[in-house]
């Protein structure tokens, strides 16, 4: 049934017009923010599986010393494509899916500002994903320069490097269009009475993330276009033989790359900032400080890029600047963690699946943050640069950060999306299985890195065998946990199997999304809702 809220909050059937289109056309020509959000999430999950399979091939090769399954060239292709697919194909599109689904519902808007551009920005990702995923079958195999695509390796790759560059251009264009859409929607389409400082935290984090994307995606486009012209048009931006400098590529890439890290974590902060108050049954502690902390992170992210480059011969003055700047950016992140803990303090907490993943996120993300703080120190970083310590650090931040927050968000909003409650027991199995397998996989990598095992190597000496075996077993367990998640939690919910969800399944959850029926009708808020003083409820 199609239904809308009138200005008094009453639901009216609108089956006579504006109903959902039927069949394949509903999805191919989708302009409804909920359908496009669903497409993004399904696309991101399928890319997560592809990237995960590549990761399991890497871990299978590293199960024991010697070359088992793949040669070193293919191993480097696997590590490169795993990184590119996970970052640009899984994490970023998934958060755009959450934004599409939730932002109009949370601000009382009827849809996204530019519905057709929304459709175009999604469908741009399909050819890009195909080009990335099939590059293994091109002459010479997939790009093998690492996901950072450093020169001079990129200048020596086969034709798949060009299709990889083109794919990244398409994904970047998609991100920029999506960001413009999100900014215009948030700034122009909020319900009357919802001021900026009354917006939900998820909306705030995405507003800031969208500005970051618009600022840095063209920087990546510039870097890879310079790589392309070096490869084919006789320029020598990164070729020392012609007066170029491969280190310049690193500067340009990381000027994009470090804000990109926060692009992948700020929406996660927003999701957690909704779930913790709902299950602690308290208002979010320090809302204004959370907004300012998010803004501070975004601004500071532009002045820390070269902490990835201590080992390139940087002068001590430069090392000191980037060291102190990196330590400074940990302060607003610490403010967020403090506020979440303060929200939970003396709250009436229950631990359903969303809250389990949220608490798991806070715990494991904080560990990843601490290892980042250790890596910020130039003397230490010089020792562990390009070892498995770095691999452990960024997986703790990105897997236990972004991915755990997405799982938390799925369990939290799934009743609103599908109209049915997921199976709580299965959700808890998924959480504990994922948390344990994740730590079994990545915690040993800290010790491997400290012992000096370099990353992106297909072989290693005997003394690293035990920790590598443990990590590989953990990786397979982690992968199977996500297959379990899809078949036993996502699929039944999508098919409508389960207990029917009420409009507000979480009693203490706040926000306009809980004012509409579950599942959310195809059209919502065709007339702007009248809000109460907190801008979290519709006045009926």
């Amino acid at each position: 049934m199609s239904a809308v809220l009138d200005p008094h909050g009453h639901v009216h059937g609108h089956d006579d017009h504006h109903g959902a289109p039927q069949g394949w056309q509903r999805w191919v020509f989708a302009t409804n923010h909920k359908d496009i959000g669903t497409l993004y999430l399904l696309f991101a999950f399928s890319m997560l599986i592809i990237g995960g399979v590549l990761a399991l091939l890497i871990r299978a090769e590293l199960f024991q010393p010697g070359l088992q399954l793949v040669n070193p060239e293919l191993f480097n292709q696997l590590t490169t494509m795993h990184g590119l697919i996970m970052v640009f194909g899984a994490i970023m599109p998934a958060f755009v899916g959450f934004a599409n689904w939730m932002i109009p519902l949370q601000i009382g808007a009827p849809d996204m500002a530019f519905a057709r551009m929304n459709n175009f920005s999604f469908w741009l990702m399909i050819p890009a994903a195909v080009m990335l995923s099939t590059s293994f079958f091109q002459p010479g195999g997939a790009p093998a320069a690492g996901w950072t695509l450093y020169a001079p390796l990129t200048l020596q790759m086969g034709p798949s490097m060009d299709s990889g560059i083109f794919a990244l251009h398409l994904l970047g264009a998609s991100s920029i269009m999506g960001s413009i859409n999100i900014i215009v929607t948030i700034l122009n389409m909020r319900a009357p009475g919802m001021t900026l400082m009354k917006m939900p935290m998820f909306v705030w984090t995405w507003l800031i993330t969208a500005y970051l994307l618009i600022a840095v995606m063209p920087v990546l486009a510039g870097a890879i276009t310079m790589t392309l012209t070096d490869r084919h048009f006789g320029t020598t931006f990164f070729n020392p033989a012609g007066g170029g400098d491969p280190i310049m590529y690193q500067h340009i890439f990381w000027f994009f790359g470090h804000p990109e890290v926060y692009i992948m974590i700020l929406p996660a902060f927003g999701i957690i900032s909704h779930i913790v108050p709902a299950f602690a049954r308290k208002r979010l502690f320090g809302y204004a400080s959370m907004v300012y902390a998010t803004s501070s992170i975004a601004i500071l992210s532009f002045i820390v890029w070269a902490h990835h480059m201590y080992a390139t011969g940087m002068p001590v003055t430069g090392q000191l600047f980037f060291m102190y700047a990196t330590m400074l950016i940990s302060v607003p992140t610490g403010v967020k963690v403090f506020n979440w803990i303060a929200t939970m303090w003396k709250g009436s907490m229950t631990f359903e699946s969303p809250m389990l993943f949220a608490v798991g996120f806070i715990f494991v993300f904080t560990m990843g943050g601490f290892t980042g703080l250790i890596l910020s120190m130039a003397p230490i970083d010089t020792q562990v640069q390009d070892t498995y310590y770095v691999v452990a650090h960024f997986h703790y931040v990105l897997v236990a950060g972004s991915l755990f927050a997405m799982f938390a968000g799925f369990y939290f909003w799934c009743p609103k999306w599908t109209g049915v409650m997921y199976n709580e027991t299965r959700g808890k199995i998924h959480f504990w299985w994922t948390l344990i397998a994740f730590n079994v996989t990545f915690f040993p990598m800290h010790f491997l890195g400290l012992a000096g095992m370099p990353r992106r190597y297909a072989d290693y000496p005997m003394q690293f065998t035990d920790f590598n075996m443990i990590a590989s077993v953990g990786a397979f367990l982690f992968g199977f946990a996500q297959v379990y998640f899809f078949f036993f939690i996502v699929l039944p919910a999508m098919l409508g199997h389960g207990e029917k969800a009420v409009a507000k399944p979480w009693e203490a959850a706040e926000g306009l999304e809980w004012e509409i029926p579950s599942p959310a009708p195809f059209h919502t808020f065709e007339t702007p809702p009248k809000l109460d003083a907190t801008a979290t409820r519709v006045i009926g």
Side-chain angles (χ1 to χ4, degrees):
M1 167 181 164
S2 173
V4 293
L5 288 174
D6 69 11
H8 304 292
H10 300 128
V11 178
H12 287 287
H14 271 229
D15 287 329
D16 53 330
H17 65 287
H18 297 322
Q22 297 303 312
W24 60 270
Q25 289 178 307
R26 170 178 179 178
W27 303 102
V28 173
F29 303 121
T31 51
N32 184 282
H33 71 98
K34 303 178 186 76
D35 284 353
I36 293 174
T38 302
L39 286 170
Y40 265 109
L41 289 167
L42 289 172
F43 169 83
F45 191 81
S46 57
M47 294 302 282
L48 181 82
I49 296 301
I50 293 171
V53 168
L54 301 183
L56 293 184
L57 286 171
I58 292 167
R59 287 312 322 169
E61 173 57 53
L62 293 174
F63 183 71
Q64 57 190 29
L67 295 179
Q68 329 295 325
L69 304 171
V70 299
N71 60 34
E73 291 79 15
L74 179 55
F75 185 86
N76 284 341
Q77 293 170 28
L78 291 172
T79 53
T80 303
M81 298 311 297
H82 166 69
L84 289 173
I85 286 171
M86 287 301 201
V87 169
F88 295 103
I91 300 289
M92 291 170 68
F95 278 135
V96 178
F98 275 97
N100 264 293
W101 246 107
M102 299 315 303
I103 287 174
L105 295 185
Q106 291 188 329
I107 64 174
D111 207 306
M112 297 294 280
F114 306 117
R116 293 189 190 282
M117 188 167 84
N118 207 8
N119 176 287
F120 185 48
S121 67
F122 170 75
W123 286 109
L124 265 185
M125 304 184 77
I126 303 300
V130 170
M131 274 193 285
L132 274 181
S133 306
T134 58
S135 58
F136 286 100
F137 306 108
Q138 295 188 23
W147 83 275
T148 50
L149 303 177
Y150 276 2
L153 281 174
T154 44
L155 309 182
Q156 301 158 8
M157 293 285 131
S160 63
M161 191 71 235
D162 303 321
S163 59
I165 288 171
F166 188 38
L168 290 180
H169 273 302
L170 290 179
L171 292 166
S174 168
S175 292
I176 290 171
M177 284 193 282
S179 301
I180 292 168
N181 212 344
I182 286 165
I183 290 169
V184 175
T185 304
I186 293 171
L187 294 184
N188 287 357
M189 298 178 68
R190 301 191 308 280
M194 182 177 282
T195 61
L196 286 176
M197 291 308 283
K198 286 181 180 174
M199 292 195 312
M201 271 311 300
F202 181 67
V203 178
W204 255 117
T205 53
W206 244 116
L207 178 64
I208 292 165
T209 301
Y211 277 113
L212 277 179
L213 274 164
I214 288 174
V216 302
M217 289 312 289
V219 178
L220 175 67
I224 58 179
T225 303
M226 291 155 85
T227 302
L228 194 69
T229 60
D230 272 13
R231 284 169 58 80
H232 296 293
F233 300 107
T235 57
T236 54
F237 292 114
F238 309 131
N239 185 352
D245 184 4
I247 299 296
M248 180 172 75
Y249 177 87
Q250 296 190 27
H251 278 290
I252 301 169
F253 179 87
W254 286 116
F255 190 79
F256 147 80
H258 207 80
E260 166 69 15
V261 171
Y262 292 102
I263 285 163
M264 291 189 282
I265 202 65
L266 290 182
F269 290 166
I271 292 171
I272 301 303
S273 299
H274 282 267
I275 294 170
V276 170
F279 292 93
R281 290 161 181 78
K282 285 171 63 185
R283 299 299 292 272
L284 180 67
F285 180 89
Y287 170 89
S289 65
M290 289 291 251
V291 173
Y292 297 135
T294 308
S295 309
S296 308
I297 289 170
I299 294 162
L300 291 171
S301 72
F302 285 100
I303 63 162
V304 297
W305 78 89
H307 67 207
H308 298 268
M309 299 170 55
Y310 290 142
T312 58
M314 188 187 300
V316 173
T317 317
Q319 291 187 21
L320 285 171
F321 170 81
F322 287 106
M323 187 163 94
Y324 294 141
T326 307
M327 291 178 181
L328 185 63
I329 204 171
S330 69
V331 175
T333 312
V335 168
K336 287 181 164 296
V337 174
F338 174 83
N339 284 10
W340 291 322
I341 294 169
T343 306
M344 291 189 273
W345 181 253
K346 293 192 175 176
S348 178
M349 288 202 291
T350 54
F351 292 96
E352 288 86 352
S353 298
M355 186 61 163
L356 283 175
F357 269 105
V359 174
F361 165 91
I362 294 167
F363 169 65
V364 193
F365 173 79
T366 303
M367 289 171 60
F370 277 130
T371 56
L373 207 49
I374 291 164
L375 288 168
S376 75
M377 299 177 202
I380 299 177
D381 183 84
T382 307
Q383 298 297 313
V384 294
Q385 172 73 28
D386 267 332
T387 69
Y388 267 78
Y389 192 87
V390 178
V391 177
H393 156 68
F394 68 71
H395 282 88
Y396 263 79
V397 175
L398 283 180
V399 181
S402 303
L403 195 64
F404 274 35
M406 286 178 206
F407 288 143
F410 171 82
Y411 286 112
F412 189 55
W413 286 310
C414 168
K416 186 59 60 185
W417 297 346
T418 63
V420 296
M421 293 298 292
Y422 62 87
N423 183 304
E424 187 60 60
T425 307
R426 290 177 183 176
K428 287 179 174 168
I429 290 170
H430 175 228
F431 168 72
W432 289 109
W433 186 352
T434 298
L435 181 74
I436 293 166
F438 169 79
N439 282 291
V440 169
T441 305
F442 293 105
F443 199 74
M445 292 185 190
H446 293 100
F447 303 118
L448 287 169
L450 291 171
M453 179 172 166
R455 62 178 174 167
R456 299 180 185 165
Y457 275 46
D459 194 6
Y460 54 85
M462 285 294 293
Q463 64 261 37
F464 299 138
T465 306
D466 291 349
F467 280 140
N468 269 303
M469 280 185 163
I470 293 168
S472 291
V473 170
F476 277 88
L477 288 172
F478 186 82
F480 290 136
Q482 308 332 314
V483 175
Y484 172 85
F485 168 67
F486 183 76
F487 283 107
F488 291 94
I489 296 158
V490 176
L491 213 53
M494 286 172 63
L495 297 173
H497 300 161
E499 180 189 334
K500 187 154 177 29
V502 295
K504 190 174 179 181
W506 319 115
E507 60 191 79
E510 287 193 338
L512 297 186
E513 70 263 40
W514 306 112
E515 300 285 310
I516 58 175
S518 297
F522 191 71
H523 293 289
T524 39
F525 302 123
E526 290 192 341
T527 331
K530 290 186 178 174
L531 308 181
D532 67 0
T534 64
T536 59
R537 295 185 69 83
V538 176
I539 302 170

